[in-house]
């Protein structure tokens, strides 16, 4: 929308294959355009997320990796920790290193008091941390599997009967419950993931994370390539996770998204945390100023 405002005189909005209307850019607001695009007021796009933070469940101290120059922060259950920064700022590299997807060069990571520094992705997941990748096609979904089979992969770990067999009936019921929870239509559940829209692919990826009871959800670009309607449903899932007492980390290059979801916001710049903001300090002017911070500071 910012790009359209910079280069356009008029905007025509389409939704569900129909023309909604044409407006002069100088006479329209972002809220009006979002409502035309989604059929919802902007206040309904970003939900009110309860904020009941508990003692930190994850403590990161002086973490160093390629492109990451020593960052420290805490993650608390019951709140959304937003993470913002320009491309190349280190915001995603930090959490990929934490999850064992990139080598840790120094520092420490403690989960529930236990040292998990440099643990593999599998071990981090078994310890209660789910990572939703920014690249759902290359790293997240089995594109040649159906939606149901993709969701079943999230349910399978630790699911066994008394005789060591897979209880497919119970797994199937759980898959249908998750599909309902993330808003996947019945007609899409038997389709291959490759045949879905970006929004339904992303819902499927979210659903895989609901197959187990994780304590921490790291969401890397949670709405990349997703339309505004699907965004509002994904934000509802973020709200529900926080309300259930989970710790949610939302890493986003979309500044309005990062600001509207976060109770606390870490701003990354040049491999360091330039600022940790909360409350009224989370505003566009403040965040943008820290995007270009040369020094940075430990959170």
């Amino acid at each position: 929308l910012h790009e359209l405002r910079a280069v356009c005189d008029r905007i025509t909005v389409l939704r569900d294959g129909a023309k909604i209307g044409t407006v002069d850019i100088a006479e329209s607001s972002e809220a009006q355009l979002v409502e035309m695009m989604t059929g919802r007021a902007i206040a309904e796009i970003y939900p009110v997320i309860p904020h009941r933070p508990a003692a930190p469940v994850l403590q990161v101290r002086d973490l160093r990796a390629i492109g990451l120059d020593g960052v420290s922060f805490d993650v608390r259950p019951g709140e959304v920790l937003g993470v913002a920064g320009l491309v190349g700022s280190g915001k995603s590299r930090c959490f990929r290193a934490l999850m064992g997807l990139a080598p840790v060069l120094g520092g420490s990571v403690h989960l529930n008091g236990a040292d998990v520094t440099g643990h593999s992705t599998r071990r981090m997941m078994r310890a209660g941390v789910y990572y939703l990748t920014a690249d759902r096609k290359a790293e997240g979904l089995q594109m040649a599997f159906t939606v149901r089979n993709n969701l079943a992969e999230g349910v399978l770990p630790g699911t066994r009967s008394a005789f060591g067999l897979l209880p497919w009936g119970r797994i199937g019921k759980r898959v249908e419950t998750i599909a309902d929870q993330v808003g996947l239509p019945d007609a899409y559940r038997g389709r291959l993931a490759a045949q879905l829209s970006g929004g339904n692919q992303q819902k499927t990826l979210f659903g895989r994370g609901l197959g187990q009871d994780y304590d921490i959800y790291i969401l890397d670009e949670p709405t990349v390539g997703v339309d505004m309607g699907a965004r509002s449903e994904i934000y509802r899932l973020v709200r529900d996770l926080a309300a259930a007492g989970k710790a949610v980390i939302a890493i986003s290059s979309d500044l309005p998204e990062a600001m509207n979801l976060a109770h606390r916001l870490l701003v990354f710049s040049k491999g360091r945390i330039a600022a940790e903001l909360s409350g009224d300090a989370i505003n566009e002017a403040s965040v943008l100023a820290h995007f270009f911070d040369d020094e940075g500071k430990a959170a």
Side-chain angles (χ1 to χ4, degrees):
L1 291 181
H2 293 295
E3 292 174 344
L4 291 173
R5 194 169 293 281
V7 300
C8 297
D9 298 314
R10 293 181 298 124
I11 295 179
T12 296
V13 177
L14 305 179
R15 186 174 75 239
D16 296 332
K19 177 181 174 180
I20 303 302
T22 299
V23 297
D24 290 330
I25 190 66
E27 298 175 0
S28 63
S29 65
E30 183 170 316
Q32 177 189 356
L33 292 172
V34 168
E35 187 166 356
M36 292 174 69
M37 292 164 61
T38 66
R40 301 179 178 91
I42 195 167
E44 298 173 357
I45 300 296
Y46 296 107
V48 176
I49 301 177
H51 187 212
R52 294 188 292 273
V57 65
L58 184 72
Q59 296 173 307
V60 179
R61 296 293 179 266
D62 197 29
L63 185 65
R64 295 187 297 280
I66 297 172
L68 194 66
D69 188 21
V71 299
S72 301
F73 57 91
D74 292 337
V75 177
R76 304 166 186 160
E79 76 170 359
V80 178
L81 177 66
V83 182
L86 299 174
V87 173
S89 64
K91 65 183 187 299
S92 288
R93 291 176 182 175
C94 171
F95 293 93
R96 290 183 69 84
L98 185 152
M99 282 299 298
L101 294 167
V104 172
L105 303 180
S108 66
V109 179
H110 284 81
L111 177 62
N112 291 318
D115 189 347
V116 295
T117 309
H119 280 197
S120 68
T121 306
R122 186 180 299 275
R123 289 183 69 184
M124 291 298 291
M125 292 182 70
R126 286 176 176 169
V129 186
Y130 180 73
Y131 175 74
L132 184 142
T133 176
D135 191 341
R136 58 179 170 264
K137 294 184 178 180
E139 296 182 339
L141 297 174
Q142 298 282 1
M143 301 303 290
F145 284 13
T146 66
V147 168
R148 287 190 175 94
N149 286 343
N150 269 284
L151 294 177
E153 285 196 329
V155 177
L156 284 174
T159 305
R160 294 290 187 276
S161 72
F163 302 101
L165 302 174
L166 289 172
W168 287 109
R170 191 166 78 233
I171 291 171
K173 290 179 181 179
R174 178 63 179 148
V175 163
E176 297 303 319
T177 298
I178 292 172
D180 290 338
Q181 189 175 349
V182 299
L184 283 163
D186 289 344
Y188 294 168
R189 298 177 189 183
R191 294 186 184 180
L192 302 182
Q195 298 174 323
L196 301 182
S197 66
N200 285 314
Q201 287 178 356
Q202 198 72 353
K203 291 179 191 176
T204 304
L205 189 58
F206 259 85
R208 286 182 60 160
L210 301 179
Q212 305 294 318
D213 187 24
Y214 295 101
D215 297 321
I216 300 174
Y217 286 81
I218 302 173
L219 312 177
D220 197 352
E221 304 293 352
T223 60
V224 62
V226 169
D227 65 80
M228 288 298 293
R231 279 182 178 228
S232 66
E233 296 187 53
I234 289 172
Y235 297 154
R236 172 184 56 80
L237 295 172
V238 172
R239 178 201 63 196
D240 292 347
L241 289 172
K246 307 301 182 182
V248 181
I249 301 167
I251 310 163
S252 182
S253 299
D254 184 323
L255 186 52
E257 175 175 274
M259 292 191 304
N260 280 282
L261 292 180
H263 298 117
R264 285 186 298 132
L265 183 67
L266 303 180
V267 183
F268 275 70
S269 176
K270 300 180 181 178
R272 295 180 62 82
I273 294 177
E276 179 179 325
L277 307 174
S278 60
D280 292 339
I282 302 178
N283 60 74
E284 186 169 322
S286 179
V287 175
L288 288 175
H290 289 297
F291 272 8
F292 304 98
D293 192 309
D294 287 326
E295 296 297 329
K297 66 179 182 180

Short mmCIF file of all heavy atoms in Angstrom, two decimals, residues 53-78:
data_model
loop_
_atom_site.label_atom_id
_atom_site.label_comp_id
_atom_site.label_asym_id
_atom_site.label_seq_id
_atom_site.Cartn_x
_atom_site.Cartn_y
_atom_site.Cartn_z
N PRO A 53 2.17 -11.92 30.68
CA PRO A 53 3.50 -12.53 30.65
C PRO A 53 3.89 -13.17 31.98
O PRO A 53 3.59 -12.64 33.05
CB PRO A 53 4.41 -11.35 30.33
CG PRO A 53 3.68 -10.15 30.84
CD PRO A 53 2.22 -10.46 30.63
N ALA A 54 4.53 -14.32 31.88
CA ALA A 54 5.05 -15.01 33.06
C ALA A 54 6.57 -14.86 33.08
O ALA A 54 7.15 -14.11 32.29
CB ALA A 54 4.64 -16.48 33.02
N ALA A 55 7.23 -15.58 33.98
CA ALA A 55 8.69 -15.53 34.06
C ALA A 55 9.28 -16.08 32.75
O ALA A 55 8.68 -16.94 32.09
CB ALA A 55 9.16 -16.37 35.23
N PRO A 56 10.44 -15.57 32.34
CA PRO A 56 11.03 -16.01 31.06
C PRO A 56 11.18 -17.52 30.97
O PRO A 56 11.61 -18.17 31.93
CB PRO A 56 12.39 -15.32 31.05
CG PRO A 56 12.21 -14.11 31.91
CD PRO A 56 11.27 -14.54 33.00
N VAL A 57 10.82 -18.08 29.82
CA VAL A 57 10.99 -19.50 29.57
C VAL A 57 12.24 -19.74 28.71
O VAL A 57 12.83 -20.82 28.74
CB VAL A 57 9.74 -20.08 28.89
CG1 VAL A 57 9.53 -19.48 27.50
CG2 VAL A 57 9.81 -21.59 28.81
N LEU A 58 12.66 -18.70 27.98
CA LEU A 58 13.84 -18.80 27.12
C LEU A 58 14.72 -17.59 27.38
O LEU A 58 14.24 -16.45 27.36
CB LEU A 58 13.43 -18.85 25.64
CG LEU A 58 14.55 -19.03 24.62
CD1 LEU A 58 15.09 -20.46 24.68
CD2 LEU A 58 14.06 -18.73 23.20
N GLN A 59 16.00 -17.85 27.63
CA GLN A 59 16.95 -16.77 27.89
C GLN A 59 18.13 -16.90 26.94
O GLN A 59 18.81 -17.93 26.92
CB GLN A 59 17.43 -16.81 29.35
CG GLN A 59 16.30 -16.56 30.35
CD GLN A 59 16.75 -16.76 31.77
OE1 GLN A 59 17.29 -17.80 32.12
NE2 GLN A 59 16.51 -15.75 32.62
N VAL A 60 18.35 -15.87 26.15
CA VAL A 60 19.44 -15.83 25.17
C VAL A 60 20.44 -14.77 25.61
O VAL A 60 20.05 -13.63 25.87
CB VAL A 60 18.89 -15.51 23.76
CG1 VAL A 60 20.02 -15.44 22.74
CG2 VAL A 60 17.85 -16.56 23.34
N ARG A 61 21.71 -15.16 25.67
CA ARG A 61 22.74 -14.24 26.13
C ARG A 61 23.93 -14.23 25.17
O ARG A 61 24.56 -15.26 24.93
CB ARG A 61 23.23 -14.63 27.54
CG ARG A 61 22.15 -14.52 28.62
CD ARG A 61 21.75 -13.06 28.87
NE ARG A 61 20.70 -12.95 29.87
CZ ARG A 61 19.40 -12.90 29.62
NH1 ARG A 61 18.99 -12.97 28.35
NH2 ARG A 61 18.52 -12.77 30.59
N ASP A 62 24.21 -13.05 24.62
CA ASP A 62 25.38 -12.81 23.77
C ASP A 62 25.48 -13.83 22.63
O ASP A 62 26.57 -14.32 22.31
CB ASP A 62 26.66 -12.82 24.61
CG ASP A 62 27.85 -12.19 23.88
OD1 ASP A 62 27.61 -11.29 23.04
OD2 ASP A 62 29.00 -12.60 24.13
N LEU A 63 24.36 -14.17 22.03
CA LEU A 63 24.35 -15.17 20.95
C LEU A 63 25.05 -14.61 19.71
O LEU A 63 24.74 -13.51 19.25
CB LEU A 63 22.91 -15.55 20.62
CG LEU A 63 22.74 -16.68 19.59
CD1 LEU A 63 23.28 -17.99 20.14
CD2 LEU A 63 21.27 -16.82 19.19
N ARG A 64 25.98 -15.41 19.19
CA ARG A 64 26.72 -15.00 18.00
C ARG A 64 26.64 -16.10 16.94
O ARG A 64 26.71 -17.29 17.25
CB ARG A 64 28.18 -14.71 18.34
CG ARG A 64 28.36 -13.53 19.28
CD ARG A 64 29.82 -13.15 19.47
NE ARG A 64 30.59 -14.22 20.10
CZ ARG A 64 30.59 -14.46 21.40
NH1 ARG A 64 29.86 -13.73 22.23
NH2 ARG A 64 31.32 -15.45 21.90
N ALA A 65 26.46 -15.65 15.70
CA ALA A 65 26.41 -16.56 14.56
C ALA A 65 26.83 -15.75 13.34
O ALA A 65 27.14 -14.56 13.45
CB ALA A 65 25.00 -17.13 14.38
N ILE A 66 26.88 -16.38 12.19
CA ILE A 66 27.22 -15.65 10.97
C ILE A 66 26.19 -14.55 10.74
O ILE A 66 24.99 -14.81 10.67
CB ILE A 66 27.27 -16.60 9.76
CG1 ILE A 66 28.37 -17.64 9.95
CG2 ILE A 66 27.49 -15.82 8.47
CD1 ILE A 66 28.36 -18.74 8.91
N GLY A 67 26.64 -13.30 10.68
CA GLY A 67 25.74 -12.17 10.50
C GLY A 67 25.05 -11.74 11.78
O GLY A 67 24.13 -10.92 11.73
N LEU A 68 25.47 -12.28 12.92
CA LEU A 68 24.84 -11.96 14.20
C LEU A 68 25.95 -11.67 15.22
O LEU A 68 26.79 -12.52 15.49
CB LEU A 68 23.99 -13.14 14.67
CG LEU A 68 23.00 -12.88 15.80
CD1 LEU A 68 21.90 -11.93 15.34
CD2 LEU A 68 22.40 -14.20 16.29
N ASP A 69 25.92 -10.45 15.78
CA ASP A 69 27.04 -9.96 16.57
C ASP A 69 26.70 -9.84 18.05
O ASP A 69 26.80 -8.77 18.65
CB ASP A 69 27.51 -8.61 16.02
CG ASP A 69 28.80 -8.12 16.67
OD1 ASP A 69 29.52 -8.96 17.24
OD2 ASP A 69 29.05 -6.91 16.63
N GLY A 70 26.24 -10.92 18.67
CA GLY A 70 26.03 -10.93 20.11
C GLY A 70 24.72 -10.27 20.52
O GLY A 70 24.67 -9.07 20.76
N VAL A 71 23.65 -11.06 20.64
CA VAL A 71 22.34 -10.51 21.04
C VAL A 71 21.86 -11.22 22.30
O VAL A 71 22.13 -12.39 22.52
CB VAL A 71 21.29 -10.65 19.91
CG1 VAL A 71 21.73 -9.89 18.68
CG2 VAL A 71 21.03 -12.11 19.57
N SER A 72 21.13 -10.47 23.12
CA SER A 72 20.61 -10.99 24.38
C SER A 72 19.16 -10.56 24.55
O SER A 72 18.83 -9.40 24.31
CB SER A 72 21.44 -10.47 25.57
OG SER A 72 22.79 -10.84 25.45
N PHE A 73 18.31 -11.49 24.95
CA PHE A 73 16.90 -11.16 25.18
C PHE A 73 16.24 -12.32 25.93
O PHE A 73 16.79 -13.43 26.00
CB PHE A 73 16.16 -10.90 23.86
CG PHE A 73 16.22 -12.04 22.88
CD1 PHE A 73 15.25 -13.03 22.87
CD2 PHE A 73 17.27 -12.13 21.96
CE1 PHE A 73 15.30 -14.08 21.98
CE2 PHE A 73 17.33 -13.19 21.06
CZ PHE A 73 16.35 -14.16 21.07
N ASP A 74 15.06 -12.05 26.47
CA ASP A 74 14.25 -13.06 27.14
C ASP A 74 12.95 -13.26 26.38
O ASP A 74 12.45 -12.33 25.73
CB ASP A 74 13.91 -12.64 28.58
CG ASP A 74 15.13 -12.62 29.48
OD1 ASP A 74 16.12 -13.31 29.16
OD2 ASP A 74 15.11 -11.89 30.50
N VAL A 75 12.41 -14.47 26.46
CA VAL A 75 11.11 -14.80 25.87
C VAL A 75 10.20 -15.26 26.99
O VAL A 75 10.56 -16.14 27.77
CB VAL A 75 11.25 -15.90 24.80
CG1 VAL A 75 9.89 -16.28 24.23
CG2 VAL A 75 12.19 -15.44 23.68
N ARG A 76 9.00 -14.67 27.05
CA ARG A 76 8.08 -14.94 28.16
C ARG A 76 6.78 -15.58 27.66
O ARG A 76 6.21 -15.14 26.66
CB ARG A 76 7.73 -13.62 28.88
CG ARG A 76 8.96 -12.86 29.39
CD ARG A 76 8.57 -11.45 29.77
NE ARG A 76 9.74 -10.65 30.12
CZ ARG A 76 9.77 -9.31 30.13
NH1 ARG A 76 8.67 -8.63 29.82
NH2 ARG A 76 10.88 -8.68 30.46
N PRO A 77 6.29 -16.57 28.36
CA PRO A 77 4.98 -17.14 28.01
C PRO A 77 3.88 -16.09 28.19
O PRO A 77 3.98 -15.20 29.04
CB PRO A 77 4.80 -18.27 29.04
CG PRO A 77 6.17 -18.54 29.58
CD PRO A 77 6.91 -17.25 29.51
N GLY A 78 2.84 -16.19 27.38
CA GLY A 78 1.71 -15.30 27.52
C GLY A 78 1.85 -13.95 26.86
O GLY A 78 1.03 -13.07 27.07
#
